[in-house]
Amino acid sequence: MKEQTEVGKLKEGRYVVVDDEPCKIVAIATSKPGKHGAAKSRIDCIGIFDGVKRSIVQPVSAKTYVPVVERKIAQVISIAGTTLQLMDVKDFEMFELTVSEEQVAGLEPGQEIAYISSLGKKKLE
């Protein structure tokens, strides 16, 4: 899910959709309106799921999408290598996530962990 908002209302630390990827805003620079144009805003952000740095430049009055980022709790059902099978504790949805070796090291079946969900993608916090 995503909502629409004006670029001028965005703040650092919030989220924005860039190239169909939810990103966390790192920096915002706004220029003054010129003789023939509107004020522009440059937004630097980092992807939540892929970690890629992106930037966009748009007029302050333009509309952009803001993703709905949810923090949820899941229970670890099983661990197979670097693949975790998880179950959401609220709606009992089952899903699998591939994680790094370091993240698997501290986990065991039955343990509850936090994860982030946005635009159909999921990631451990």
Side-chain angles (χ1 to χ4, degrees):
M1 280 183 34
K2 53 188 177 180
E3 304 169 342
Q4 207 173 33
T5 188
E6 285 187 7
V7 173
K9 293 182 180 177
L10 295 174
K11 296 188 175 19
E12 289 182 21
R14 298 250 176 99
Y15 299 99
V16 67
V17 177
V18 180
D19 301 330
D20 291 327
E21 186 72 30
C23 301
K24 185 171 187 170
I25 298 173
V26 177
I28 297 178
T30 306
S31 64
K32 291 191 231 174
K35 187 174 180 182
H36 298 290
K40 297 248 190 309
S41 183
R42 176 190 172 93
I43 301 171
D44 295 322
C45 51
I46 297 176
I48 298 173
F49 298 108
D50 58 5
V52 175
K53 188 172 183 179
R54 297 177 171 88
S55 66
I56 54 172
V57 177
Q58 290 186 329
V60 175
S61 60
K63 300 274 187 190
T64 189
Y65 287 105
V66 175
V68 176
V69 178
E70 297 176 312
R71 287 177 165 72
K72 298 180 177 182
I73 304 291
Q75 183 178 10
V76 179
I77 302 299
S78 69
I79 302 171
T82 58
T83 303
L84 299 176
Q85 185 176 20
L86 303 168
M87 178 182 70
D88 190 292
V89 295
K90 285 205 172 152
D91 59 7
F92 305 110
E93 173 195 1
M94 299 283 288
F95 59 93
E96 290 185 356
L97 285 179
T98 304
V99 295
S100 66
E101 291 283 338
E102 297 88 43
Q103 290 176 314
V104 171
L107 298 176
E108 52 190 49
Q111 186 178 356
E112 291 188 355
I113 56 173
Y115 72 97
I116 299 173
S117 172
S118 179
L119 297 179
K121 298 179 182 178
K122 295 177 174 82
K123 164 189 150 176
L124 291 185
E125 275 196 276

